[in-house]
Amino acid sequence: MAADLLEVEGLTKSFGGIAALKDGRFRLQAGQVKALCGGNGAGKSTFLSIVMGIQPRDGGVIRRAGRPVTYRSPREARADGISIIEQELSPVPAMSVAENIYLGREPTAGFGRIDFRKMNRDAQALLDSLHFDIDPRTLMMDLTVGKLQLVEIARALSHDSEIIIMDEPTSALGEAEADQLFEAIATLKARGKGIIYVTHRLSEVFEVADSYTVFRDGAFVGEGAIADITRDDLIQMIVGRPLTEEFIKENVPGDEIALELRGINSVKGVRGIDLTAHRGEILAVFGLMGSGRTELFERIFGLVRDQGGEIRIGGAATAIRSPGQAIGKGLALVTEDRKGTGLVLTASVRDNICMARLKKLGLGPMMNIRAEAKASRRMIDLFNIKTGNDRDPVSSLSGGNQQKVVLGRWFLTEPAILLLDEPTRGVDVGAKREIYRIMSDFAVQGGTVIMISSETDEVIGMADRALVMRDGRIAGELARPELSAKRLVSLAA
């Protein structure tokens, strides 16, 4: 009987005396797609970083095809047939797609010169085989977050590894792009590759995986076949308790219009958008990658140049040409890319919470340290942000707690309208439920939530209405009783 592609037993790792991983166990066989499940802080990222040689382990054994191994760098892991698609994107922005895919492995011609023609040709063949519609000569800085994710996927698959780790691979993808990835996974599985699939989207676990392993609080909880477990039982294994309901929705939309757009255009391809959102309403904006959803939010918040159209807030025509003006009008924007544009990762939790309210928390040119600490603590308590000290770097927090820091920052500005771009991207089911509670409570108190989401379940569970975008325009509107995955996707495509 052939040895497992990968076998891990008793993996441990501590940071500053705090155990991040207490008992990491995992087995992977050829031709298997195994989901690694767990909430934020369960130890999954630490486990993967050790397997990939990014950091050393304190204890435990890793066997690769029956051989005990210790990788001291990702290069050593890749050389032994293990590659990873990381959750946090790491492109070289000023280089092309092809250059990023083959970085450090560029084909050469005479005198050691890079053979750009061959590199572009090979990259195009790889992208075509994955059905990714991306020009290999395009600079990475000119791609959307979703297409950057597809390039990261292509780069990992270009190594032709036996084991492929996929860490939240669909976090920036719409449903159509995710389907392309799932097709690629089926192809890889048929070729005998082993895939470790990490995602907070449980619908994906049941769609692509054939088995699962669950971590909780840094330790192995259990494993088994997907066919032998229900969604509710898997959630209970992940969070350690049953969740009585996934979505929290108690708001009732009012008649008063909070925000109205008339004929809004944007330099980024948004054309002729008409939209109304009411006080007490949760309005969803759904669409495929490239449909113009994020670009619409950027236009509303003053991040791109005014290209015509009218914005009315509370019935009054309003010119918004900068984020400062948007904040002054009661708008708040939680961006899609939490770590790229939502947080300053080198700053503390307190600094990140307070940075949108600096004028109010200042004493002339100086900061009012006491007021700043009080405001930070108020948001930490309000959103149940798990941090030892608000002076800790925000990068030390789990994904769900980082997202709550971003929400805390904007709630400190006392907004009337929340623009949420993929608010639950990359957070676990428990943190998702807390974010849904925040959204519902905000709307109950008369606030307006406009939410971009790629997850049809989330739209159906939380929205009072949904606007569907396609090619920079509104393709249709669905009232809550009309919402279904089929109708959303049909309008978006």
Side-chain angles (χ1 to χ4, degrees):
M1 185 175 179
D4 292 335
L5 288 180
L6 182 70
E7 184 182 7
V8 182
E9 294 179 342
L11 213 58
T12 61
K13 181 68 179 179
S14 295
F15 298 96
I18 299 173
L21 195 61
K22 305 170 189 174
D23 179 20
R25 286 185 257 162
F26 195 86
R27 293 180 301 159
L28 182 70
Q29 298 172 346
Q32 184 179 43
V33 180
K34 192 164 200 176
L36 176 57
C37 304
N40 292 114
K44 304 188 305 297
S45 295
T46 302
F47 174 83
L48 296 178
S49 67
I50 293 172
V51 169
M52 284 301 301
I54 296 170
Q55 56 189 8
R57 62 184 181 266
D58 293 339
V61 177
I62 301 174
R63 296 186 183 89
R64 171 75 175 90
R67 297 176 286 108
V69 294
T70 299
Y71 304 127
R72 294 176 177 82
S73 70
R75 182 185 292 271
E76 289 186 7
R78 285 194 297 267
D80 201 22
I82 306 176
S83 62
I84 185 169
I85 301 166
E86 297 187 82
Q87 179 180 357
E88 305 304 334
L89 307 182
S90 55
V92 182
M95 296 177 72
S96 72
V97 168
E99 289 172 310
N100 272 264
I101 289 175
Y102 294 106
L103 189 63
R105 302 175 293 133
E106 299 87 350
T108 57
F111 303 103
R113 292 178 293 109
I114 295 175
D115 189 340
F116 286 99
R117 182 175 296 180
K118 177 175 173 25
M119 183 166 61
N120 288 332
R121 189 168 61 245
D122 291 348
Q124 187 68 71
L126 175 63
L127 293 165
D128 288 346
S129 71
L130 296 170
H131 306 290
F132 294 168
D133 184 20
I134 301 173
D135 188 332
R137 297 164 295 183
T138 304
L139 296 181
M140 297 290 280
M141 68 176 69
D142 294 330
L143 296 179
T144 63
V145 173
K147 289 197 172 182
L148 288 174
Q149 184 79 64
L150 293 180
V151 174
E152 289 287 327
I153 292 166
R155 178 163 66 179
L157 299 184
S158 71
H159 291 277
D160 195 29
S161 301
E162 279 193 290
I163 299 171
I164 301 160
I165 302 169
M166 299 187 175
D167 190 1
E168 298 285 354
T170 65
S171 60
L173 305 183
E175 294 200 8
E177 295 77 27
D179 286 342
Q180 295 174 11
L181 173 63
F182 298 157
E183 289 177 11
I185 288 173
T187 300
L188 293 168
K189 179 179 175 180
R191 294 176 183 170
K193 308 293 186 184
I195 296 172
I196 303 174
Y197 196 90
V198 184
T199 183
H200 289 306
R201 296 178 176 179
L202 295 186
S203 59
E204 293 181 7
V205 171
F206 286 91
E207 183 168 355
V208 304
D210 42 49
S211 59
Y212 67 89
T213 291
V214 175
F215 284 5
R216 187 172 69 241
D217 298 330
F220 171 86
V221 175
E223 63 180 0
I226 290 294
D228 296 335
I229 194 168
T230 66
R231 179 188 177 93
D232 288 347
D233 287 343
L234 184 57
I235 289 174
Q236 184 163 347
M237 285 185 72
I238 292 169
V239 301
R241 65 186 189 282
L243 286 183
T244 55
E245 53 184 325
E246 186 171 353
F247 298 103
I248 306 295
K249 182 171 176 58
E250 299 172 350
N251 65 298
V252 178
D255 295 327
E256 182 181 345
I257 295 176
L259 176 69
E260 185 175 7
L261 308 181
R262 297 178 178 174
I264 288 293
N265 301 305
S266 164
V267 292
K268 292 190 175 181
V270 172
R271 300 186 294 279
I273 297 293
D274 294 328
L275 174 154
T276 58
H278 299 82
R279 290 193 62 190
E281 181 178 31
I282 298 176
L283 174 65
V285 179
F286 182 81
L288 304 181
M289 185 174 63
S291 63
R293 304 169 309 166
T294 295
E295 291 78 7
L296 175 62
F297 273 18
E298 290 175 347
R299 169 68 179 83
I300 296 171
F301 205 67
L303 289 167
V304 295
R305 194 169 67 252
D306 186 344
Q307 289 286 297
E310 184 179 49
I311 299 176
R312 302 180 71 86
I313 297 177
T318 304
I320 298 178
R321 296 186 175 88
S322 70
Q325 289 180 333
I327 294 169
K329 295 296 182 180
L331 292 170
L333 171 63
V334 175
T335 59
E336 175 186 17
D337 186 0
R338 179 173 61 242
K339 294 196 174 182
T341 57
L343 295 168
V344 178
L345 294 175
T346 55
S348 69
V349 172
R350 182 189 298 182
D351 290 342
N352 272 276
I353 287 175
C354 296
M355 63 176 52
R357 204 66 169 165
L358 294 179
K359 288 184 180 180
K360 294 288 184 179
L361 297 173
L363 288 172
M366 306 293 290
M367 286 299 297
N368 184 335
I369 302 300
R370 183 174 295 176
E372 186 185 18
K374 184 178 179 181
S376 173
R377 175 49 55 187
R378 183 157 57 91
M379 291 299 107
I380 288 171
D381 291 342
L382 178 63
F383 294 116
N384 191 29
I385 300 170
K386 293 180 175 60
T387 178
N389 188 306
D390 71 353
R391 284 304 194 187
D392 290 341
V394 74
S395 58
S396 67
L397 271 57
S398 68
N401 284 298
Q402 287 180 350
Q403 189 73 336
K404 288 190 281 186
V405 167
V406 178
L407 287 165
R409 174 200 303 157
W410 290 116
F411 270 74
L412 199 59
T413 68
E414 300 176 355
I417 300 168
L418 272 178
L419 305 176
L420 305 178
D421 194 349
E422 303 285 5
T424 63
R425 176 188 173 195
V427 303
D428 65 62
V429 289
K432 276 188 176 185
R433 193 171 186 270
E434 292 184 67
I435 292 170
Y436 296 146
R437 165 63 72 184
I438 292 166
M439 292 166 56
S440 180
D441 288 350
F442 181 75
V444 165
Q445 294 163 16
T448 302
V449 177
I450 307 178
M451 170 189 71
I452 290 173
S453 177
S454 298
E455 297 189 43
T456 55
D457 287 349
E458 186 168 78
V459 172
I460 295 166
M462 291 303 298
D464 298 297
R465 281 186 301 139
L467 299 177
V468 182
M469 291 191 66
R470 185 176 67 236
D471 298 328
R473 300 182 184 275
I474 299 294
E477 177 179 332
L478 298 172
R480 184 167 179 80
E482 302 172 304
L483 290 173
S484 70
K486 182 177 180 180
R487 297 195 71 176
L488 287 166
V489 174
S490 177
L491 284 170

